[in-house]
Amino acid sequence: MAEITLENVTYVYGKGAPYEMRALDDVSLTFRAGEITGLIGHTGSGKSTLVQMLNGLLKPDSGRVLLDGKDIWEDPKQIQQIRFQVGLVMQYPEYQLFDETVEADIAFGPKNMGMDPEKIREAVKRAAQFTGLRPELLKKSPFDLSGGQKRRAALAGVMAMEPAVLVLDEPAAGLDPGGRREILGRIREYQQKSGANVIIVSHSMEDMALYCDRVLVMENGRLVMSGTPAQVFSRAEELIAVGLDVPQITRVARALRDAGVDIGLDIYTVKFAAHRLLSGREAHEG
Amino acid sequence: MDTGNNTAKESEKQMSTIMKAEHISYSYPGDEEDRPVEALRDVSFSVEEGEFVAILGHNGCGKSTLAKILCMILQPGEGKLYIDGEDMTRDDITEEDINKGRRKVGMVFQNPDNQLVATIVEEDVAFGPENLGLAPEKIRRRVDWALETVGMTKYARHATHRLSGGQKQRVAIAGAIAMRRKCIIFDESTAMLDPHGRKEVMDTISRLNREEGITVIHITHYMNEATMADRVLVMQGGGIIMEGKPTEVFSRAQELWDAGLDVPQTTELLWYVRQAGYDVALDIFDPAACAAEIARVLKGTAHGRDNT
Amino acid sequence: MKADIAFGQYYEGNSFLHRLDPRWKILFVIFYIVIIFLAKNIFSFALLILSAIFLTLISRIPLRTILRGLRPLVFIIFFTAIINIFWLKGDTVLVDWWIIHIYLEGLINALLIVVRVVILVAGTSILLTYTTTPIALTDGLERLLSPLAKIHLPVHEFSMMMTIALRFIPTLVEETEKIMNAQKARGADFSTGSLVRRAKALIPILIPLFISAFRRAEELATAMECRCYTGGKGRTRMNILHSSWRDVAALLALCALCAGVVLLNIFAPGYALAL
């Protein structure tokens, strides 16, 4: 069980300077264990700042960040221990690869944790499996991998620490549709097998709708909405008002209602829309 | 798109072919033990002046290699590339000839940070025209026009590194058009941007095409961006597997899925509806139109079946 | 956004100083530095202080910004002041207690040196870095050095390198910060342990940084090629530099300042700098 709670967290960039900016403004929320939470917001909404709060890369100006009820800043010297429990995969993580082999690179985190060599080998193997890296790739230099493989190697580097909380900032950025599905599918599989608390930050409404159990929406450093994807995306007008988009299919559902075919507004995946649309129809026909 | 624009485009089409690729193949040299890696196989197509062509394909399908060949960074292993009728692949081609070609065809890259040269927006836009050796007043006029065209006049004296991703790409576009080019290739120029930046750039691209008559070749893996094009080429395994109007290409949903690509969600939903036995069109990308189409057949067929 | 560095801190504006020709400005700065070192006593220093105040006023840069730029110097200023106050001997004893002897001369000397350092840094940055875009600066330098191209020195290439360096410094600083955060998230520790350990801890930062810099360089080179860059030959510039009455006025003002300092050195002796 690993639950992260933010209590009235505020964070200000460039305090006192003319460009002072309140990145987080009295944010309180909980990321529950055992589910995938999606964090949505446009650039500058504070979501990247929030992510860096979770593993102590940034320290709140006021308020507390609690991991299983314990303030992560209780002992600032132990912040490294927090980072082992809250794994963070940054945006474009392939740019952090550095070691001679993929295997050694994945082992960097576990080594820093002080795991013994036997356990490290195990952890690396498991992480490679989770991310779908074939064993023969482990002996290669990370710089010889393809773009998608690099991304997965970097992801494995964090997964190998077996963190109770896994935070991912735009894990599918820049990938093509196949690559997006692959990496997000693997993350979901990892969540289901490990029971970890997984937090995904993304701009892509379509991806969030497909892969998250719960969605949080940030705007101007505040939390403005939270709920299941169905609950959040059924409030399409509000999302659009804060400059976010909704999946195209959600718009179709609205247009369908206006055209006299009501399949509900809580539509956010095509399959679900088709299901509502067609199974309802068959029942009607039968 | 209104008809006025289309007819304007028709007349331009008769004018000339800006780019023509004939049977282009390319292989990257492998290591000593590895065999060469084939990236392009027998690619042929042509682009008319004033057209907006989208090249779609998943990562590794060869589209980036094609982009490099089109802007003459790579020489094709086999085949011919003509720019404005000029053979750019002939054996006796000189550095000067290639530069002549580059004056006609420009490129905007994926990473906005790695294509801006100067610290100040207008200085960066001026970089290309300066390389052409134009007179200072002429450069100034072109820079002002280019910034105006991409809507960045307000930022002329700003530092480039402080702009958002979408703004940086617009500066890069301004730099490309400031050389008065006929054709601009966008090599996944939207891939690293957030949805807002992507929209900014796509709006700019389509305005360039419509209002300035600049030929656009847009390489991407975003389906909805390809729906804006006049013509779509779909690449897979180093070759072109489909070609046609967006409506034609996206109706072939199954083939696109097989090529590792997506179709717009509207098309996907219509596809399910068609699978269920209803006769719907698949080539609809607007949510309202999609809903109208579904409503039409569902109400219509339900009614029709009741009669039988 | 956080990673702002005090290097090349151009302050947007359109003042008299902003509009000077960068070529002249580079020469003016050298001249100004010479004048600063010519000043020998408190009277000529007073004139220097006036000149610095005058510069600040016509630059229209907020005093706060200029003072913030001086912050990194506080330690050096403090240190030289202490040395001068306690170690310089003179005739007039101010404090004589146990092993501490402070003389009036030491105090004045310390004061003058502090003033010199402050004016040196503030004056040159107002005259040059605050009011000249980095690109105008390299441009000015390129043209000042252009006669050297005749003897086959790569003046244009040098200036292009400077331009690109200036353009990429903020990008790379930002990138370093990102990589550091990424490695910290994997438990890297840069701040504890022996010197060797700390140096080794830098590897996971330096390697990705270098690789990224090379990738950027390669992409930039391609982009420049696509923009028809073929070196300095046949290249023109959008902004041609031309001298105006402003440059003449500034030159005259500096000559006047120089004369004033020299005259005050000679005709108003006393309380002179010991160094």
Side-chain angles (χ1 to χ4, degrees):
Chain A
M1 285 296 101
E3 194 171 271
I4 290 199
T5 303
L6 269 67
E7 265 183 15
N8 310 98
V9 169
T10 294
Y11 187 80
V12 182
Y13 280 111
K15 221 172 192 166
Y19 54 87
E20 178 180 303
M21 198 189 72
R22 197 166 279 258
L24 290 179
D25 189 4
D26 194 22
V27 173
S28 298
L29 52 84
T30 299
F31 294 101
R32 281 182 244 148
E35 57 180 30
I36 300 185
T37 309
L39 192 59
I40 306 181
H42 56 70
T43 310
S45 64
K47 60 183 177 7
S48 297
T49 311
L50 193 149
V51 161
Q52 295 186 48
M53 291 277 154
L54 301 179
N55 74 341
L57 282 177
L58 291 176
K59 193 178 175 184
D61 287 330
S62 67
R64 298 195 302 165
V65 180
L66 307 172
L67 179 59
D68 285 331
K70 216 176 121 212
D71 189 342
I72 65 167
W73 287 102
E74 202 175 69
D75 181 4
K77 281 186 191 132
Q78 291 301 309
I79 198 69
Q80 218 182 353
Q81 291 307 315
I82 299 295
R83 291 187 187 141
F84 296 137
Q85 292 173 61
V86 183
L88 170 63
V89 182
M90 310 249 292
Q91 227 181 98
Y92 295 103
E94 52 272 31
Y95 296 147
Q96 73 190 33
L97 298 173
F98 70 96
D99 223 321
E100 276 172 62
T101 64
V102 174
E103 193 171 24
D105 204 288
I106 299 176
F108 180 65
K111 240 190 229 159
N112 287 331
M113 291 171 80
M115 272 192 209
D116 59 70
E118 192 48 46
K119 264 182 127 178
I120 291 181
R121 249 195 304 280
E122 284 294 305
V124 170
K125 231 171 94 185
R126 256 198 310 274
Q129 239 161 28
F130 269 127
T131 51
L133 285 171
R134 293 191 311 277
E136 66 264 29
L137 292 180
L138 292 180
K139 297 285 172 213
K140 275 192 159 185
S141 157
F143 307 110
D144 289 340
L145 302 185
S146 75
Q149 288 169 338
K150 275 186 198 165
R151 176 75 54 94
R152 281 184 270 157
L155 179 59
V158 177
M159 278 185 181
M161 306 195 307
E162 297 177 348
V165 183
L166 181 63
V167 189
L168 305 112
D169 193 354
E170 292 283 0
L175 299 179
D176 61 20
R180 297 184 84 89
R181 271 196 292 274
E182 157 106 35
I183 202 133
L184 291 168
R186 297 227 174 247
I187 291 166
R188 186 162 63 185
E189 199 182 296
Y190 171 81
Q191 194 281 322
Q192 280 160 355
K193 287 205 176 130
S194 67
N197 176 354
V198 173
I199 301 162
I200 301 180
V201 178
S202 177
H203 281 117
S204 166
M205 300 295 154
E206 278 85 0
D207 289 347
M208 292 307 227
L210 274 175
Y211 293 95
C212 297
D213 302 307
R214 214 157 59 92
V215 176
L216 306 176
V217 183
M218 301 263 316
E219 169 66 12
N220 278 334
R222 287 170 170 275
L223 181 71
V224 291
M225 258 187 247
S226 74
T228 62
Q231 287 167 345
V232 168
F233 290 120
S234 62
R235 294 159 73 181
E237 282 90 0
E238 290 166 70
L239 284 170
I240 293 166
V242 297
L244 290 168
D245 208 355
V246 293
Q248 205 191 12
I249 196 71
T250 306
R251 289 179 190 262
V252 174
R254 300 197 152 242
L256 271 172
R257 189 185 58 167
D258 296 342
V261 185
D262 194 355
I263 57 167
L265 296 181
D266 53 345
I267 299 287
Y268 54 91
T269 68
V270 178
K271 277 212 176 88
F272 190 52
H275 172 76
R276 279 260 180 96
L277 193 62
L278 300 166
S279 64
R281 203 45 53 179
E282 272 153 25
H284 179 254
E285 280 160 19
Chain B
M1 272 185 218
D2 58 312
T3 37
N5 268 327
N6 278 344
T7 47
K9 268 187 187 168
E10 288 304 320
S11 61
E12 273 168 54
K13 265 180 198 170
Q14 281 151 16
M15 271 169 54
S16 67
T17 302
I18 180 81
M19 189 173 274
K20 192 170 176 190
E22 275 181 355
H23 310 291
I24 287 185
S25 296
Y26 188 86
S27 294
Y28 287 99
D31 296 335
E32 287 146 41
E33 43 211 290
D34 295 338
R35 278 170 299 145
V37 189
E38 187 181 52
L40 290 176
R41 182 167 13 96
D42 195 25
V43 170
S44 299
F45 67 94
S46 68
V47 177
E48 305 301 315
E49 219 168 285
E51 243 191 323
F52 182 159
V53 174
I55 299 180
L56 266 180
H58 61 77
N59 291 347
C61 71
K63 58 191 198 301
S64 302
T65 310
L66 181 62
K68 286 198 182 111
I69 288 177
L70 295 185
C71 68
M72 293 154 284
I73 296 164
L74 290 179
Q75 280 280 326
E78 268 168 65
K80 291 270 170 207
L81 173 72
Y82 297 93
I83 286 176
D84 217 7
E86 196 83 25
D87 183 358
M88 305 308 292
T89 42
R90 61 174 193 269
D91 292 332
D92 59 341
I93 189 110
T94 62
E95 192 71 23
E96 219 162 289
D97 295 329
I98 287 181
N99 257 322
K100 236 188 245 165
R102 286 199 178 122
R103 287 179 181 216
K104 290 175 184 159
V105 178
M107 180 120 153
V108 176
F109 296 85
Q110 180 177 24
N111 191 330
D113 276 319
N114 298 353
Q115 52 186 322
L116 301 182
V117 183
T119 46
I120 302 291
V121 169
E122 65 173 16
E123 304 265 4
D124 187 81
V125 177
F127 179 76
E130 287 177 343
N131 291 333
L132 300 183
L134 301 175
E137 319 78 69
K138 205 165 176 186
I139 298 177
R140 165 56 62 192
R141 275 200 303 276
R142 285 195 180 187
V143 167
D144 290 347
W145 166 78
L147 284 173
E148 179 80 50
T149 307
V150 301
M152 289 292 289
T153 305
K154 224 171 60 188
Y155 295 91
R157 302 290 307 156
H158 281 232
T160 42
H161 82 269
R162 291 189 180 234
L163 302 176
S164 73
Q167 290 170 333
K168 281 180 193 165
Q169 287 301 55
R170 274 151 72 197
V171 173
I173 295 172
I177 61 172
M179 302 177 76
R180 289 274 179 207
R181 275 151 162 170
K182 292 180 173 177
C183 173
I184 303 200
I185 303 168
F186 294 86
D187 185 12
E188 301 204 51
S189 313
T190 53
M192 291 182 78
L193 305 179
D194 63 11
H196 183 78
R198 219 147 57 212
K199 188 172 179 310
E200 240 177 279
V201 170
M202 284 317 293
D203 287 350
T204 310
I205 293 177
S206 85
R207 204 171 53 243
L208 282 185
N209 178 249
R210 270 184 291 115
E211 290 168 18
E212 307 293 336
I214 293 173
T215 312
V216 169
I217 299 177
H218 182 53
I219 298 170
T220 183
H221 54 240
Y222 289 106
M223 302 305 122
N224 45 352
E225 292 177 4
T227 61
M228 300 163 76
D230 297 328
R231 198 150 55 94
V232 181
L233 307 178
V234 181
M235 289 189 67
Q236 192 193 12
I240 293 174
I241 57 162
M242 270 190 247
E243 182 176 352
K245 290 203 177 93
T247 52
E248 289 162 13
V249 166
F250 288 118
S251 339
R252 295 156 73 179
Q254 192 63 56
E255 286 169 72
L256 285 170
W257 282 321
D258 291 344
L261 292 166
D262 271 346
V263 296
Q265 289 194 323
T266 47
T267 302
E268 195 182 342
L269 181 63
L270 290 163
W271 185 84
Y272 279 115
V273 175
R274 182 183 272 188
Q275 289 300 101
Y278 296 96
D279 182 27
V280 287
L282 294 181
D283 54 354
I284 296 173
F285 313 127
D286 175 61
C290 167
E293 173 79 356
I294 292 173
R296 180 182 68 80
V297 294
L298 286 187
K299 286 178 178 168
T301 352
H303 189 243
R305 282 194 189 173
D306 283 348
N307 280 348
T308 50
Chain C
M1 147 178 40
K2 295 162 288 168
D4 242 329
I5 32 169
F7 182 70
Q9 44 187 193
Y10 177 65
Y11 190 91
E12 180 77 46
N14 199 24
S15 72
F16 179 86
L17 291 180
H18 284 85
R19 290 159 81 180
L20 288 177
D21 181 337
R23 288 172 298 183
W24 281 106
K25 263 200 257 189
I26 294 167
L27 298 176
F28 289 160
V29 162
I30 297 168
F31 193 10
Y32 194 58
I33 292 171
V34 170
I35 298 174
I36 291 170
F37 280 97
L38 280 178
K40 284 281 178 284
N41 61 27
I42 53 172
F43 301 106
S44 46
F45 267 93
L47 188 62
L48 275 185
I49 293 174
L50 284 179
S51 78
I53 293 173
F54 180 69
L55 275 179
T56 311
L57 287 177
I58 59 167
S59 73
R60 303 212 200 115
I61 296 168
L63 192 62
R64 247 178 64 185
T65 309
I66 294 167
L67 291 180
R68 204 177 317 133
L70 290 174
R71 214 183 286 162
L73 293 174
V74 167
F75 177 74
I76 297 174
I77 290 173
F78 181 74
F79 194 69
T80 39
I82 292 294
I83 287 186
N84 277 284
I85 290 174
F86 291 107
W87 272 269
L88 209 74
K89 293 193 170 22
D91 304 325
T92 329
V93 182
L94 291 180
V95 177
D96 187 6
W97 175 75
W98 193 36
I99 54 162
I100 297 174
H101 313 281
I102 296 178
Y103 301 91
L104 180 65
E105 287 78 3
L107 201 61
I108 289 173
N109 212 57
L111 191 73
L112 294 187
I113 284 185
V114 166
V115 168
R116 179 184 276 176
V117 173
V118 167
I119 294 183
L120 199 64
V121 173
T124 51
S125 48
I126 293 169
L127 202 52
L128 210 58
T129 50
Y130 278 125
T131 56
T132 323
T133 60
I135 203 146
L137 208 59
T138 45
D139 212 20
L141 208 58
E142 178 182 0
R143 280 172 227 207
L144 269 182
L145 298 178
S146 61
L148 295 179
K150 292 214 171 61
I151 54 165
H152 301 295
L153 282 178
V155 175
H156 166 76
E157 284 74 10
F158 173 74
S159 123
M160 187 49 84
M161 267 165 55
M162 288 277 293
T163 306
I164 291 170
L166 286 168
R167 155 71 189 77
F168 276 90
I169 284 169
T171 310
L172 289 177
V173 167
E174 219 169 89
E175 178 132 42
T176 312
E177 201 175 330
K178 265 188 215 156
I179 296 172
M180 272 179 85
N181 275 342
Q183 306 301 26
K184 267 196 220 160
R186 293 164 83 190
D189 180 5
F190 313 119
S191 49
T192 56
S194 65
L195 208 61
V196 178
R197 224 189 105 124
R198 280 192 214 192
K200 260 177 105 176
L202 288 179
I203 292 174
I205 299 173
L206 292 180
I207 291 180
L209 191 64
F210 271 100
I211 287 177
S212 149
F214 282 124
R215 185 177 43 84
R216 286 180 191 282
E218 203 183 314
E219 285 182 23
L220 184 73
T222 308
M224 286 170 71
E225 214 177 300
C226 277
R227 295 171 78 178
C228 295
Y229 179 71
T230 51
K233 228 177 104 194
R235 200 172 131 78
T236 49
R237 303 304 305 270
M238 174 170 71
N239 295 323
I240 19 172
L241 301 177
H242 31 215
S243 325
S244 66
W245 60 269
R246 289 188 192 85
D247 302 297
V248 181
L251 180 63
L252 291 179
L254 276 173
C255 288
L257 179 66
C258 184
V261 165
V262 170
L263 287 177
L264 285 172
N265 277 344
I266 298 168
F267 295 110
Y271 299 120
L273 202 57
L275 296 173

